Structure formats: structure tokens, C-alpha cells
Amino acid sequence: MTEKSKPILVTQPAMPPLDEFVELLKDIWDSKWLTNNGKFHQQLEVALAEYLGVKYISLFSNGTLALTSALQVLRITGEVITTPYTFVATTHSLHWNGIKPVFVDVDPVYGNLDPAKIEAAITPKTTAIVPVHVYGNPADVEKIQEIADTYGLKVIYDAAHAFGVNSKGQSILNFGDLSILSFHATKVYNTIEGGAIICHNEKTKKRIDYLKNFGFADETTVIAPGINAKMNEVQAAYGLLQLNYVKENIQKRKEVAEIYDKELSKIKGIRILKHQTKAEHNYPYYPIFLDEKEYGKTRDELYDYLKTKNIYGRRYFYPLVSEFPMYRSLDSAKPSNLPNAHNIAEQVICLPIYPELATEQVNEIIQKIKEFKG
Ligand SMILES: *Cc1c(COP(=O)(O)O)cnc(C)c1O
């Protein structure tokens, strides 16, 4: 490695060429149209729907407001079944809607909500299921839908990790009643901050568009207590440029992941995550799961050692959301209810992965993990 002193962070955002962005900024400066369903907002909705292979998409200022609003769109109340193995925004969005989260354990391999454990958590107050496609690996959408249909529940996917993921020949975003995306700087496709709701019919799209703009249906009609969660023109213009490079960026991520796969799979005590072959993957994270007996060091020892070598992984998702003070006292948050989630949360480190991560840097990270083994 040439620049030993420069830290390698878990991710680094892909950005469009500055000169291309400046051209679009000039356009915005000329028009003085900064937000409120401007032309870039409209263009990006069309372009993203086509790229992703979905019918309707509504852009938001971030993924958390998209999810918080999605729950309002379907008027979800009472209790919602969800996963503790996620980013806090999933659960906080329920909380902000006055909904009680009910945690259900995950499968021990992918960390996705375990459908076999959902039914036991359903009560008369349950209205919906909010699963996450963790690390871009599709949740078991068919089984989840079967349960939802049986019990009359809605399904809203937190698909923040699943931009561009296809399963069984179509976008994973086409499953469930709604899906939300995040376009935060750390995600595979970013608009600096940003997000979206994906829906399947025009009526719902209309309702979403009202709700993200205070509930205005026209100049003088307010149909619901909406919020302000619109994406602005600067973000949308940036997002249009990003779309030209996202395929190439996912390919670069894939190349990084393949080097890791090849070398790390040889190290005893390190489990890598083979992405599901039936899915067209997007390589958003590179999680490894460490078995401390086999590896000879604990997860945190390796995590801290890498930091001393200027390599900054992240323990996504540790601690579990169910361990945070505002959720810890819920019955469903008891560790005995969530054994698999606790296990993987104790084992995981997400290693650096991003399009510009050089092969030498990847090799250096691998070398350090080999070196440190007990
Ligand atoms: C990033 C993320 C979010 C939140 O998205 P923001 O755009 O940062 O608000 C929600 N859920 C998951 C699983 C995420 O990874």
C-alpha cells in the first residue's frame, strides 16, 4: 500500500464527475426551481422506476422519512412484527408512529427475519410485518406474503440495502405492499441523503405524493396530516448523474467481494456470506462472522486490531436494536427470544467495501486478518 497513513473506512461514497454536476447546477440556478416536484425530481422518478424495474416510485429526502411515511400511507397502527437485526431507523420509524415493535428472531445465516417464527408473535393488535433485506439478501418474500395473506397483515419492506437486487427474474422491490429505499451517502446508490417509497398502483403513488408534501392534494385541499419529506432538485439532479454510473460501481464492488471471498473462505473461524445465487446481488456490505474458538481471537480483538492498522470496519448490526434503552423493556426484546440475532450480532464485522477500494488495499486487509489469527 502506498499511503499507509490514510485510514481505510468501511465505505466511501461514489460521486458523479463534478463538471457534470456543475452543468446541472447551472440549470437549477437559471430556473430558480429548487424543490416541489421540479423537473429533475420528475425525471429521476421515471429513470429510477425504469432502472429498478418497478411501476411507481416516490422520492423522499431520506430513507427514514420514507419508512415513517410508508407506515402512514397504509395507516398502520397497534403492533408490527419486525427484526432486531437492522439499523435503528427501522424501529424508530415504528416508534414515531406510536406503533409497538414486536421483535422476531432472524435466520442464523443471512440475518433476515425468520418466517417460521412470525406466526407465534401475531396478536389481535398486529397490523403489519416490516422485514429488512439485510445486506441486500432478499428476505423470504413468499413465505412472508403467505402469512400476511392468512392473517390480513400488510407488508412493508425496509429495502435500504436492496437497491438493484433482483430475485427470481424481477426486482425484489415488487414484493410486499410497499418497499422503502435509502439513498444515503453510505449506500450503493446515493443522492447525498435521500430515499424513496416503491408502490404498485397509481392510487397509492398519489397518496404517497400527498403525504410527503403536507397532505396537499391541490392549492387549497389538505387530505391528510402529511409531513415535509420531499426530495429537492439539487439531490435529484445529482441522483440522475449517479444513475449513469451505478452499474459500473456495483461491478467494482463485486470484484472487491470476490477477492475477499476467495481468500477469507480459507481462514478457519471466519464465515463469509455467500450471497443467494438466485439473487442478482448489489454488494452493499462485506460482513464476516467470526467464531472465536476457531479463529483464536474474539471479534472485538480483531475489530480493534484492524483499527490499529488504520482499517475501520463496522459492527453492523451490533448492538441489536432490541438492546437500546427505548426498546429493551419490551417482552419481545428478551435475549432468550432472539438467540440467532444475538449470535450473529456478537460475531459480525463489516469490512471495507466500495468501488474505489484498490486491490492492494483489499489484499492488505486480508493479510492483516490472516496475520492476527491465534
Ligand atoms: C440506511 C438505512 C436506513 C435509513 O436510511 P436514511 O436514508 O439514512 O434515513 C433504514 N434502514 C436500514 C436498514 C438502513 O441501512
Side-chain angles (χ1 to χ4, degrees):
M1 226 183 96
T2 45
E3 291 176 86
K4 263 236 149 46
S5 56
K6 210 175 164 197
I8 306 177
L9 304 182
V10 70
T11 192
Q12 177 182 292
M15 295 170 77
L18 182 58
D19 56 337
E20 292 185 15
F21 189 42
V22 169
E23 283 309 304
L24 298 190
L25 287 177
K26 283 180 188 159
D27 192 316
I28 292 171
W29 254 247
D30 286 343
S31 71
K32 305 206 187 312
W33 193 291
L34 297 178
T35 186
N36 286 24
N37 200 27
K39 75 170 179 191
F40 290 122
H41 183 286
Q42 291 177 27
Q43 282 173 27
L44 185 57
E45 285 193 344
V46 172
L48 273 172
E50 191 187 320
Y51 179 88
L52 295 167
V54 300
K55 273 210 178 110
Y56 298 96
I57 184 164
S58 182
L59 299 175
F60 276 73
S61 47
N62 63 62
T64 304
L65 280 171
L67 183 53
T68 305
S69 304
L71 293 158
Q72 290 272 331
V73 169
L74 300 179
R75 305 180 70 105
I76 305 301
T77 56
E79 295 179 4
V80 165
I81 288 172
T82 190
T83 168
Y85 196 68
T86 183
F87 183 61
V88 282
T90 314
T91 326
H92 284 354
S93 300
L94 297 170
H95 193 92
W96 275 67
N97 275 288
I99 293 163
K100 179 178 167 186
V102 176
F103 297 112
V104 162
D105 204 11
V106 300
D107 79 74
V109 175
Y110 292 102
N112 278 328
L113 197 59
D114 181 352
K117 294 183 180 148
I118 292 175
E119 283 188 270
I122 296 173
T123 77
K125 290 187 181 148
T126 311
T127 57
I129 308 171
V130 175
V132 179
H133 302 299
V134 182
Y135 310 131
N137 287 303
D140 193 337
V141 291
E142 276 154 10
K143 285 213 185 100
I144 290 170
Q145 194 57 56
E146 217 177 284
I147 296 165
D149 290 344
T150 304
Y151 291 86
L153 308 176
K154 301 286 189 197
V155 182
I156 301 176
Y157 283 102
D158 179 339
H161 298 182
F163 185 94
V165 171
N166 288 331
S167 183
K168 296 167 184 135
Q170 66 162 315
S171 171
I172 198 68
L173 304 171
N174 286 325
F175 294 89
D177 294 282
L178 300 172
S179 289
I180 72 98
L181 289 169
S182 165
F183 307 146
H184 183 259
T186 54
K187 306 299 206 267
V188 166
Y189 166 85
N190 83 76
T191 59
I192 308 173
E193 294 257 12
I197 302 180
I198 285 82
C199 68
H200 318 308
N201 62 66
E202 205 177 337
K203 272 194 207 160
T204 310
K205 157 79 170 149
K206 231 178 186 168
R207 178 164 164 78
I208 297 168
D209 288 347
Y210 294 155
L211 285 181
K212 76 176 180 189
N213 189 33
F214 311 99
F216 276 112
D218 62 40
E219 222 178 288
T220 52
T221 317
V222 173
I223 53 93
I227 197 162
N228 181 5
K230 309 180 292 288
M231 182 181 280
N232 67 54
E233 285 294 275
V234 176
Q235 283 172 285
Y238 177 101
L240 272 173
L241 297 175
Q242 290 287 68
L243 209 45
N244 299 334
Y245 302 96
V246 67
K247 269 221 163 81
E248 183 185 327
N249 287 333
I250 290 173
Q251 178 59 30
K252 287 183 185 166
R253 286 174 172 276
K254 182 176 185 196
E255 285 160 18
V256 171
E258 283 174 352
I259 305 172
Y260 276 139
D261 282 352
K262 185 157 174 276
E263 294 304 317
L264 296 178
S265 58
K266 296 177 194 159
I267 304 176
K268 235 182 136 191
I270 303 269
R271 177 171 74 88
I272 63 168
L273 203 49
K274 292 246 172 65
H275 66 85
Q276 286 148 311
T277 49
K278 55 183 190 274
E280 198 177 297
H281 204 52
N282 62 350
Y283 308 91
Y285 300 92
Y286 196 91
I288 59 170
F289 301 89
L290 191 137
D291 178 330
E292 62 179 71
K293 283 199 196 83
E294 300 250 305
Y295 183 74
K297 296 275 172 52
T298 67
R299 183 272 306 269
D300 287 344
E301 281 167 348
L302 175 60
Y303 172 73
D304 290 333
Y305 173 76
L306 291 175
K307 281 204 284 194
T308 68
K309 301 295 171 192
N310 245 345
I311 298 161
Y312 292 83
R314 289 294 292 268
R315 291 164 293 182
Y316 295 142
F317 292 107
Y318 168 86
L320 293 176
V321 174
S322 50
E323 293 295 295
F324 292 124
M326 65 297 293
Y327 304 119
R328 196 158 58 195
S329 61
L330 294 169
D331 271 353
S332 65
K334 285 198 189 93
S336 58
N337 185 45
L338 309 165
N340 293 337
H342 274 273
N343 262 334
I344 59 174
E346 294 291 336
Q347 294 188 331
V348 71
I349 304 178
C350 286
L351 298 178
I353 186 167
Y354 49 88
E356 299 307 314
L357 188 64
T359 304
E360 309 89 77
Q361 292 176 304
V362 182
N363 284 331
E364 172 168 328
I365 296 164
I366 292 165
Q367 189 51 38
K368 295 290 177 257
I369 296 171
K370 282 185 180 164
E371 229 170 71
F372 191 61
K373 187 179 182 318

